């Protein structure tokens, strides 16, 4: 299995990041601030943040600033090629532009990105320092553009700085998660000010302890309020009180999916991009007989998650042999795929076995729960509807090594929302597992856990 950054190792002594903010591009969600004081410097500064991507293959801005269409920044952002760029436009032309050759297409992992800028330096190697997961990056596409003493718009007095969209023309909305955003005004910092390698060689976050300059800020996303203040989602905890305004977020967009405890989401790479994804890859809309797998699978442990049917006539939740998730682009039938699932008609289907007719159907707005036991002598999955068991536990095939949550679609377009512990919809009650992780509508069965890297490190 691939190494998933953010909590693969159980390291209780390390700095823990508790929250992130989920950005949904269909909602045009973003944060914004108009600074009222002059920055320490528009030529020298550092941005450090952790990012977990959602939608791929589209232009998306991480942080931008704008005065006019002739003067603006895409200080950090992804291109439609899934490369990363730093861009500053002055007098209508690129003053700074560097584009990576590296692609950022892993939606299962958190990336740490540091852009340390000092355009007073004569050479690009000194003026633009980009670090990805603790490693200096210098392999740029084509011929980078670098003008000494170029001035950026981010953090400028009288100019709007935005997080999650290209401010100049209100486009390129970001889709995914951000955590621990540090903006250091006036200093070109090293990546080691914000992270370090642990004993297993994994880059992990470290709490920044330096100064922030005049307009610097630190966004931890611990709040859920809608105001531009210390209780809002965009609250600045650097001590500068440079709070950001909220635009088009819901209360549940403050999540616990972070670079130190990475939760499962859905993987658009598992179905050849045949579906559309929203809500941080927890809402999936798909046509016909396509399926989709989650970003995390398991060989051991006891795991619980929920999903909500929001539209459509044949949503089919279940589990699959993880080897099968990359074949989901094909239309499939139960006879040639290793899957077990609960049909809307109340029938539980299992590969190579007699189907179980439960008599319990489900429909729009019902919450379906799944509890998978990989520890007992007989591996099983128990389905739930609105907190009550459906039928009896179903034995999984003995040849399954890794099991992955999945959704199959049959018939016309369907939309399903998954909750692996950070729901993309309002929860009326709120229940966590025995370790205190996750937020579920119904009580987590005793001994079962949310699918996240801290739990996987302990039980998976």
């Amino acid at each position: 299995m691939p190494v998933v950054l953010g909590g693969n190792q159980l390291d209780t002594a390390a700095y823990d990041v508790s929250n992130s903010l989920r950005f949904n591009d269909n909602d045009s969600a973003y944060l914004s601030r108009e600074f009222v004081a002059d920055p320490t410097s528009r030529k020298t500064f550092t941005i450090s943040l952790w990012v977990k991507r959602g939608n791929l293959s589209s232009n998306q801005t991480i942080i931008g600033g704008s005065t006019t269409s002739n003067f603006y920044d895409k200080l950090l952002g992804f291109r439609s090629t899934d490369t990363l760029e730093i861009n500053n436009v002055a007098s209508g032309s690129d003053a700074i532009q560097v584009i990576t050759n590296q692609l950022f297409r892993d939606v299962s992992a958190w990336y740490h990105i540091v852009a340390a800028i000092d355009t007073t330096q004569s050479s690009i190697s000194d003026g633009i320092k980009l670090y990805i997961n603790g490693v200096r990056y210098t392999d740029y596409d084509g011929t980078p553009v670098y003008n000494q003493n170029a001035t950026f718009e981010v953090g400028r007095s009288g100019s709007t700085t935005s997080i999650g969209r290209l401010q100049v023309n209100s486009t390129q909305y970001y889709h995914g998660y951000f955590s621990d955003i540090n903006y250091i005004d006036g200093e070109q910092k090293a990546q080691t000010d914000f992270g370090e390698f642990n004993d297993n060689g994994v880059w992990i976050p470290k709490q920044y302890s330096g100064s922030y300059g005049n307009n610097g800020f630190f966004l931890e996303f611990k709040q859920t309020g809608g105001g531009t203040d210390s209780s809002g989602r965009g609250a600045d905890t650097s001590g500068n009180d440079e709070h950001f305004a909220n635009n088009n977020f819901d209360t549940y967009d403050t999540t616990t999916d972070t670079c130190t405890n990475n939760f499962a989401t859905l993987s658009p790479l598992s179905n050849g991009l045949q579906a559309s994804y929203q809500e941080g890859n927890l809402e999936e809309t798909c046509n016909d007989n396509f399926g989709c797998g989650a970003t995390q699978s398991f060989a051991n442990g006891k795991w619980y998650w929920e999903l909500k049917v929001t539209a459509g006539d044949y949503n089919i939740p279940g589990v699959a042999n993880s080897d099968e998730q990359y074949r989901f682009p094909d239309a499939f039938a139960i006879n040639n795929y290793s899957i077990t699932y609960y049909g809307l008609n109340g029938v539980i289907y299992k590969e190579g076995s007699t189907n179980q007719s439960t008599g319990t159907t489900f429909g729009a707005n019902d919450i379906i729960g799944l509890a998978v036991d990989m520890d007992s002598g007989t591996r099983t999955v128990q389905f739930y509807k609105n907190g009550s068991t459906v039928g009896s536990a179903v034995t999984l095939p003995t040849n399954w090594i890794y099991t992955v949550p999945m959704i199959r679609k049959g018939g016309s377009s369907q939309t399903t929302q998954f909750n692996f512990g950070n729901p993309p919809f309002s929860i009326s009650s709120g229940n966590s597992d025995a370790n205190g992780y996750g937020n579920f509508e119904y009580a987590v069965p005793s001994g079962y856990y949310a699918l996240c890297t801290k739990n996987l490190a302990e039980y998976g």
Side-chain angles (χ1 to χ4, degrees):
M1 295 181 66
V3 173
V4 179
L5 289 180
N8 286 61
Q9 289 76 32
L10 200 61
D11 188 355
T12 56
Y15 169 58
D16 192 60
V17 177
S18 59
N19 291 94
S20 67
L21 186 61
R22 181 167 54 211
F23 288 66
N24 195 39
D25 55 358
N26 269 16
D27 293 336
S28 300
Y30 70 102
L31 300 171
S32 61
R33 179 163 183 81
E34 294 185 11
F35 291 87
V36 297
D38 289 330
T40 304
S41 175
R42 293 173 57 199
K43 301 176 183 179
T44 305
F45 55 87
T46 304
I47 180 76
S48 164
L49 55 87
W50 288 83
V51 55
K52 180 178 176 179
R53 298 201 66 188
N55 285 339
L56 301 174
S57 304
S58 64
N59 290 310
Q60 298 178 35
T61 297
I62 294 174
I63 182 168
S66 173
T67 300
T68 69
S69 59
N70 288 325
F71 293 88
Y72 65 90
D73 299 337
K74 184 178 182 179
L75 174 52
L76 275 174
F78 297 105
R79 296 169 67 88
S80 60
T81 54
D82 294 317
T83 53
L84 182 71
E85 74 172 319
I86 299 173
N87 184 218
N88 165 252
V89 173
S91 299
S93 300
D94 292 329
I96 302 289
Q97 186 177 55
V98 295
I99 302 169
T100 66
N101 280 313
Q102 178 180 340
L103 304 183
F104 296 81
R105 291 177 56 81
D106 189 350
V107 297
S108 70
W110 282 87
Y111 296 99
H112 183 230
I113 302 171
V114 174
I117 311 296
D118 183 2
T119 64
T120 65
Q121 301 293 326
S122 59
S123 68
I124 187 173
S125 62
D126 294 323
I128 305 293
K129 295 181 179 180
L130 179 63
Y131 303 91
I132 299 167
N133 296 334
V135 178
R136 176 81 184 272
Y137 189 90
T138 57
D139 183 21
Y140 297 123
D141 180 54
T143 303
V145 177
Y146 180 76
N147 284 278
Q148 187 178 14
N149 292 314
T151 56
F152 283 75
E153 298 301 318
V154 167
R156 177 183 177 182
S157 174
S159 177
T160 300
T161 295
S162 61
I163 296 172
R165 80 166 181 178
L166 188 64
Q167 181 63 32
V168 63
N169 54 11
S170 304
T171 60
Q172 298 191 20
Y173 287 92
Y174 175 75
H175 182 248
Y177 305 78
F178 291 136
S179 67
D180 256 31
I181 300 180
N182 280 282
Y183 178 77
I184 314 303
D185 177 14
E187 293 185 83
Q188 186 185 46
K189 308 294 289 190
Q191 83 280 25
T192 51
D193 285 295
F194 311 98
E196 59 190 352
F197 288 104
N198 67 11
D199 292 340
N200 296 296
V202 176
W203 184 254
I204 59 174
K206 182 173 73 175
Q207 188 166 23
Y208 174 71
S209 59
S211 61
Y212 281 87
N214 290 349
N215 287 351
F217 54 82
F218 178 34
L219 306 185
E220 296 183 85
F221 305 123
K222 291 184 176 181
Q223 307 299 326
T224 59
T228 310
D229 52 35
S230 60
S231 63
R233 295 179 195 88
D236 168 30
T237 56
S238 72
N240 284 346
D241 289 335
E242 302 288 2
H243 308 303
F244 277 69
N246 292 260
N247 298 278
N248 306 316
F249 292 96
D250 290 301
T251 56
Y252 49 77
D253 287 326
T254 299
T255 85
T256 57
D257 187 345
T258 74
C259 51
T260 56
N261 194 16
N262 187 2
F263 279 75
T265 58
L266 299 175
S267 174
L269 299 177
S270 72
N271 71 352
L273 301 178
Q274 296 294 330
S276 61
Y277 295 83
Q278 288 298 308
E279 302 294 349
N281 287 6
L282 292 172
E283 178 182 290
E284 181 246 13
T285 299
C286 188
N287 293 313
D288 300 323
N289 288 312
F290 291 102
C292 175
T295 56
Q296 296 177 8
S297 58
F298 41 86
N300 303 295
K302 297 181 180 181
W303 309 101
Y304 178 79
W305 65 93
E306 296 175 343
L307 55 89
K308 180 179 181 181
V309 177
T310 58
D313 58 0
Y314 213 66
N315 298 263
I316 308 171
V319 290
N321 181 347
S322 64
D323 291 340
E324 303 300 327
Q325 65 174 309
Y326 299 104
R327 296 168 60 191
F328 284 179
D330 304 320
F332 59 84
I334 189 64
N335 293 331
N336 56 11
Y337 275 78
S338 300
I339 57 177
T340 297
Y341 60 87
Y342 173 29
L344 180 142
N345 60 359
V347 178
I348 297 175
Y349 298 85
K350 176 187 172 184
E351 173 198 20
S353 182
T354 303
N355 300 331
Q356 181 183 160
S357 297
T358 69
T360 303
T361 62
F362 64 89
N365 298 316
D366 283 327
I367 303 291
I368 305 303
L370 292 90
V372 180
D373 180 355
M374 299 291 286
D375 280 346
S376 61
T378 302
R379 297 175 173 183
T380 62
V381 55
Q382 175 67 63
F383 293 94
Y384 296 79
K385 174 187 172 182
N386 299 330
S388 298
T389 58
V390 175
S392 58
V394 179
T395 302
L396 298 175
T398 57
N399 63 336
W400 286 19
I401 299 176
Y402 287 100
T403 298
V404 64
M406 55 79 68
I407 186 77
R408 179 194 171 192
K409 306 291 182 160
S412 59
S413 176
Q414 294 87 30
T415 300
T416 308
Q417 294 177 316
F418 275 72
N419 179 13
F420 294 105
N422 292 283
F425 50 85
S426 295
I427 292 291
S428 60
S429 54
N431 298 274
S432 61
D433 67 21
N435 284 341
Y437 302 135
N439 180 22
F440 298 98
E441 183 66 59
Y442 295 98
V444 178
S446 178
Y448 288 77
Y449 295 91
L451 194 54
C452 59
T453 50
K454 282 191 175 181
N455 282 336
L456 283 167
E458 188 171 359
Y459 306 112

